[in-house]
Each structure stands twice: as structure tokens, then as C-alpha cells.
Amino acid sequence: MRDLYIYNSLSSKKEKFVPNQQGHVGMYVCGPTVYSNVHVGNVRTFMSFDMVYRYLLHLGYKVRYVRNITDAGHLENDADDGEDRIAKKAHLEKIEPMEVVQRYTVDFHNTLNRFNFLTPSIEPTATGHIIEQIEIIKQILEKGFAYEVNGSVYFDVLKYNQENNYGELSGRKIEDLIHNTRTLDGQSDKKNPQDFALWKRADPQHIMRWPSPWGIGFPGWHLECTAMSTKYLGKNFDIHGGGMDLKFPHHECEIAQAEICNGNSPVNTWMHANMLTLNGQKMAKSTGNFILPNDFFTGESKHLSKSFSAGCVRFFILQAHYRSVLDFSNDALLASEKGYNKLMESIRILETLNSSLKTSDFNIEAWKESCYNAMNDDFNSPILIAELFSVVKFINQVKDGTSTVSKEDLDLITSTLNIFVFDVLGLQNMNQGANQYKEKLKDTVELLIKMRAEARINKDFELSDKIRIQLDEIGIQLKDSKDGTIFKID
RNA sequence: GGUCUCGUGGCCGAGUGGCUAGGCAGUGGUCUGCAAAACCAUCUACAUCAGUUCGAAUCUGAUCGAGACCUCCA
């Protein structure tokens, strides 16, 4: 099998992926701050890494996939009086911060489950790692790269930059940062605006508070990822992922903290998933320009003309490369839905195909290789999907009798499609989950098909059309072919 | 204002110095009692201008336009 190449944000190049430990991969992905429902943009990022995780697993790697839950420390802004997002929500709703965390963590998991996500190996929380975070702050203070002011501790970015390169990931120069930093009110505690908080003093009214050597307070946002990635994946690990918008300053700060604390660059391959836009603008909670996953299922949104299945949405998202901006629109989703249904339908047809002695001009081995080549080239799911459609066409040709397939190749198509459609892309198999009702429904529809066929033989087209049209209205579509009639349920 | 990315046919989206992904929509055909589905064929492209090259949508420069980050954000 060929090598896997991944685009590394740190070098801005596609690089051959070689894990630290042969056969094992450590991957950390920045998870959500659980202060509100995840929107579709959030889902896209996590889906990108779900696909990465799935493909690495398929390649046979033992992957430790860590995706955190931020349940403390994420401030509204960087000013001294910046409010913790969770605490703010708790104030507003007059409930405990941990009730906020619980509510939206559950929502997060429910949403991802509907989109058929695999569960990460570890899903640690910031509040569960306060001790580890305090230990890191101590080390950074000891090494002289942080300073304490009024019960808060800040990372000294300018000092760090003397020996290291702050901005190496996002391609920024410290001089530009200094020059361009907007002055915010209430930043008096910091020596420089570029410095970032490792620990913040908690005001008496601040409800999220922990004791520390510097007084009662709470950890800074960037710190949790360093603490948890180091704890579970080590001082140097293979892949760190997150949304493009976290590249600066969040990931830059993570690198700085780890460099000082551990003495080396923490991550070999940085991966950044691009934004999902709506009306050409980034989907963001703060601007109100977003749609929630549930809107797809109900269809009740000004942006949607109808409801869409989770599988269809998943297909829509994976039809774009994870590093490209994807613009969401109802029309694009409608087009994807048709393509998705066509793909799924062909998988169903595949089960009914008869093999013959040999396969006519379709090279299954070469096709399979093309699928792997697509994924090995920086997880190019759109190319993979294009390849899948080439076999969809072939399947339909065999069904129509214009092509033939050998038993061996039929098995190879089936196994390869199962790998890429279900294991790698994570598209749900609508054939699965069969139950007694489904079986009975099938028998019922087949009875109607038989009745319609009889009506057609008797040229009673009024009755035959009535059966077909009324079934269609229910959402059951009949498809005639030379070999008889099959049906499809939307 | 600074840094970066992008601008592909009716829509969405790959790709790349010569061999014109794919899906959806359109058109013609096969099939059908009529349809639908499927299959076959087919039409729309590479923002603009200039340069490099035997050859550029792909490289370079300029222009215009869009977006991301610089402040919380997946």
C-alpha cells in the first residue's frame, strides 16, 4: 500500500506521515466549549477528524484519539474582566455551571451520534485537570517565562520569542502583532498585550473557582489542551487537529507553553479544518449566522426548504475537502441528497446482482487503488466520492445487463464499498437495523407490486398507476426494469 | 490597516504546466402502456489584464472581488 500524506500546517506542505511509534498514532483534537448547542460548522470540524480517525483505524493503526471538552476557562475576551463563557451562561439561566456543562455536553454527544461519529478514546475535561494545569504553570514560572500579577499568571510572549519563534504556526511575526494589537480596556495587568493568561484570579462573584498557589482562580483556556495532550499523548505526539480559527492564538499558545514546559515542539503534524460558511460568511454563534444540526432533521429553518437526513448532511460535508471553505446552501444540499441516495441505492442493488464468468471492461483492482490514492493524498474525500460514483455506474450497468461481473470481482466491489462508504466515510448503512416491521413492510410492498403487475397485464392502467402514485405519495418509489419491479423507501 | 487564503461551467465542488474529476441541473436518445429509475450521448469552465513557456485554468506580476485571522469562535 502507498504512503499516507498529510498537509502539515506547521510546514505548509504535504508530508509523508510517519508516526512516532510504528503502528500507533496519538491524535488530539480541540473539542467544544460546552456553553451552547453545537452548530453545523462545529460539526464539520469534528467530522473531518472523525474521518481522519476512521481512515487511520482502517489502515490498521492503533489510534489514541483524545478530544477534550472545555468546561472552564474559556473567556469571552482577553481583557481582565472577560467573563467565563460557562459562568456567564450559568448566571443567565440561574443554574450551576456544571448544569450548563452537562446540558451541552449531552447535546454535543447526541448530535455527533446522530451523524454516526466514532467515540474518541479519551474525552477529558478541563475541570478534571486543574491540578495538571497548575503544575504546568509552576514549571513555566520556574523557568521564568511567566509572571504573577494580582493573583493572575501570564505567559511572557516577548521573552519566549527571544529564543523561540512565536507565530511559527500561523505565519505571524511578533513585530506585526505588536504593531497591530488593538488596545482593549482593562489589560493593565499584562506586561504586553500579546501575553496570555495561564491563571486568572477569580473575583468574589465569579462562581467557577479553584485554589492555587496564586490564590483562588481558574485556568486560562490555552492551558488545558497542553495539560491534557501531554498527560495522555506525551510530550511529543503525532497529530493535533482543530478548526482553522484556533490556529491563532490558541494553537500558537499551546506550542509556546509546551516548548517551555517540555523543552520541545509538542506536535509533529498540525491539521486545521476549514470553516463552513452560510451566505458566504463564517458560521458563528457570536454573529447568529448559523444553523443547528436539529434544523436539518425538522426542516424548520429559513435556510432550508425541507428536512434532510444525517447521512445526507454527512455526505454533503465530505463532498468538500476538509481544508477548503465549504459554503452551505439549500440547493447544494438538495443536489448532494440526490447523489447520496444514488450511491446508497447502488449499494442495495449490488446485493441483488448476479455474477457471470468474467468482468467486462472495468478494472476493479485499479479502482480500489484509486480509492486508496484519494484518501492517502491528505484525506481527499471528494476524490474518493468521485471514484465511488464510477463503480456506481458500473453496478447499474451490470443491473441493466450491459456489463458483466465475475463472482470474485463482485465480492471485491462489495468489500471495498463497505470499507470506504461505511468504515471510512462513516455514512450510515440504511440497510442495517432491519427489524420485524421492516420485513413485513417489504412483504406488503411486494404484494402491491404483484397486484400492480397483474393490473398491467390486464391493461388496467388506472389501477396500476393508482398503486404507483399512492405509494409514491407515501414515500415508496417503484422502479420498473426488464427483470421486474423493485422499490425504494425514502 | 497588517498577515494569509481563495476566485473553476446554471449550482456545488476536485484537480493541475500538455492526457479536459465527480454530483446536481439542462438537452437528445434507449427502455416503458405512460412515467420514474437506470444506461448511452451531449452542451455550458477555469475573475480580469499582462508576462514566462513550444504549450497555462495550472507558474510570475498587476488589477478587481470574496473570505479567514489579527478580539471569543470549530
Side-chain angles (χ1 to χ4, degrees):
Chain A
M1 194 171 296
R2 286 181 51 192
D3 298 320
L4 170 64
Y5 281 80
I6 304 179
Y7 183 87
N8 189 349
S9 299
L10 195 56
S11 63
S12 303
K13 283 192 297 236
K14 281 181 197 170
E15 296 170 353
K16 184 177 163 182
F17 179 66
V18 182
N20 280 341
Q21 201 186 337
Q22 199 187 352
H24 294 257
V25 176
M27 177 163 89
Y28 187 93
V29 171
C30 289
T33 301
V34 282
Y35 71 104
S36 68
N37 301 296
V38 282
H39 64 248
V40 183
N42 304 123
V43 171
R44 184 197 182 190
T45 295
F46 301 126
M47 192 180 287
S48 298
F49 292 105
D50 184 62
M51 174 195 69
V52 167
Y53 180 44
R54 284 168 172 276
Y55 190 58
L56 291 171
L57 286 176
H58 169 68
L59 291 180
Y61 287 110
K62 292 201 187 318
V63 187
R64 181 177 287 175
Y65 174 24
V66 182
R67 186 183 64 207
N68 68 296
I69 297 278
T70 298
D71 59 353
H74 200 161
L75 303 186
E76 286 273 295
N77 58 58
D78 205 25
D80 277 359
D81 58 354
E83 255 190 296
D84 185 293
R85 289 171 174 275
I86 308 268
K88 185 183 178 184
K89 187 86 177 182
H91 267 305
L92 281 172
E93 309 229 340
K94 293 191 168 57
I95 54 177
E96 277 290 315
M98 280 301 125
E99 287 185 83
V100 174
V101 167
Q102 174 71 5
R103 179 186 299 169
Y104 295 111
T105 301
V106 168
D107 171 76
F108 176 64
H109 287 146
N110 285 343
T111 299
L112 297 200
N113 285 340
R114 287 199 77 162
F115 285 105
N116 198 32
F117 277 59
L118 296 180
T119 313
S121 324
I122 305 175
E123 213 168 11
T125 61
T127 55
H129 298 76
I130 301 288
I131 292 166
E132 287 84 348
Q133 297 185 68
I134 289 173
E135 286 306 309
I136 289 177
I137 299 171
K138 281 186 192 166
Q139 286 185 49
I140 296 173
L141 275 168
E142 268 172 34
K143 290 177 179 170
F145 285 88
Y147 53 91
E148 186 191 345
V149 183
N150 295 329
S152 294
V153 182
Y154 295 97
F155 189 94
D156 192 336
V157 170
L158 291 190
K159 184 171 182 189
Y160 171 79
N161 192 247
Q162 288 169 6
E163 300 282 324
N164 300 274
N165 181 10
Y166 184 81
E168 60 174 333
L169 179 65
S170 53
R172 274 157 225 271
K173 292 191 178 71
I174 198 95
E175 305 86 66
D176 294 339
L177 288 172
I178 294 165
H179 186 254
N180 288 312
T181 301
R182 296 178 210 173
T183 45
L184 294 166
D185 292 334
Q187 280 195 331
S188 54
D189 279 356
K190 287 188 194 176
K191 284 205 281 195
N192 301 291
Q194 294 72 40
D195 295 347
F196 57 89
L198 297 171
W199 188 264
K200 296 279 282 183
R201 179 173 61 87
D203 294 330
Q205 70 271 24
H206 199 283
I207 48 181
M208 299 184 77
R209 46 208 295 133
W210 290 268
S212 80
W214 316 283
I216 302 290
F218 55 94
W221 174 42
H222 310 303
L223 194 57
E224 56 169 293
C225 291
T226 299
M228 296 186 280
S229 64
T230 306
K231 177 164 183 174
Y232 299 112
L233 299 172
K235 293 180 178 183
N236 177 265
F237 55 96
D238 300 302
I239 298 172
H240 188 130
M244 196 77 98
D245 48 356
L246 297 185
K247 205 171 181 182
F248 186 90
H250 184 58
H251 291 157
E252 209 71 72
C253 296
E254 275 189 63
I255 292 175
Q257 289 163 350
E259 279 277 3
I260 294 307
C261 192
N262 300 329
N264 59 271
S265 187
V267 176
N268 294 336
T269 305
W270 282 93
M271 294 181 69
H272 290 96
N274 218 323
M275 300 292 99
L276 182 65
T277 60
L278 177 61
N279 301 318
Q281 299 287 130
K282 175 182 165 183
M283 229 179 246
K285 288 168 193 167
S286 54
T287 56
N289 187 50
F290 64 87
I291 46 180
L292 296 175
N294 203 247
D295 295 342
F296 289 122
F297 310 139
T298 63
E300 284 166 16
S301 164
K302 64 179 175 180
H303 303 292
L304 300 172
S305 64
K306 63 184 277 295
S307 64
F308 294 92
S309 72
C312 166
V313 175
R314 186 164 178 121
F315 181 80
F316 165 74
I317 290 173
L318 294 175
Q319 249 186 328
H321 186 83
Y322 77 92
R323 282 193 291 116
S324 297
V325 174
L326 172 61
D327 190 53
F328 172 85
S329 72
N330 190 64
D331 284 349
L333 201 53
L334 282 169
S336 280
E337 184 180 47
K338 292 200 173 179
Y340 173 67
N341 287 340
K342 186 173 170 179
L343 176 63
M344 288 304 163
E345 184 61 14
S346 80
I347 289 170
R348 201 161 0 205
I349 289 167
L350 186 62
E351 293 173 4
T352 68
L353 292 186
N354 296 315
S355 57
S356 54
L357 283 175
K358 67 185 190 73
T359 298
S360 47
D361 52 347
F362 189 87
N363 189 333
I364 311 294
E365 281 291 352
W367 165 74
K368 184 179 174 181
E369 192 63 25
S370 302
C371 292
Y372 278 102
N373 287 345
M375 287 305 287
N376 285 336
D377 184 14
D378 196 28
F379 308 98
N380 200 325
S381 56
I383 296 277
L384 170 63
I385 288 171
E387 292 296 341
L388 296 180
F389 276 105
S390 72
V391 88
V392 165
K393 194 172 190 173
F394 178 68
I395 289 168
N396 284 321
Q397 285 171 343
V398 174
K399 184 198 74 177
D400 286 1
T402 56
S403 285
T404 56
V405 65
S406 70
K407 177 76 175 69
E408 195 182 26
D409 279 347
L410 191 59
D411 291 345
L412 188 58
I413 290 174
T414 305
S415 63
T416 307
L417 269 181
N418 279 330
I419 286 168
F420 285 104
V421 175
F422 302 127
D423 297 349
V424 173
L425 294 178
L427 298 169
Q428 279 130 314
N429 188 347
M430 299 310 179
N431 296 335
Q432 283 169 354
N435 54 40
Q436 51 169 332
Y437 297 111
K438 207 168 173 180
E439 206 50 42
K440 285 182 178 160
L441 176 66
K442 184 176 168 236
D443 293 345
T444 308
V445 175
E446 275 171 1
L447 179 67
L448 286 163
I449 287 171
K450 207 169 153 190
M451 288 169 73
R452 173 168 167 267
E454 283 165 11
R456 290 173 73 198
I457 289 166
N458 298 329
K459 302 228 185 285
D460 184 358
F461 297 123
E462 198 183 332
L463 176 62
S464 69
D465 285 355
K466 193 174 174 182
I467 292 171
R468 185 183 71 206
I469 290 161
Q470 293 199 354
L471 279 175
D472 188 57
E473 281 167 0
I474 296 167
I476 297 172
Q477 202 177 19
L478 300 188
K479 298 182 184 184
D480 294 335
S481 75
K482 285 184 191 122
D483 304 328
T485 302
I486 54 170
F487 70 96
K488 181 184 143 195
I489 302 174
D490 287 336

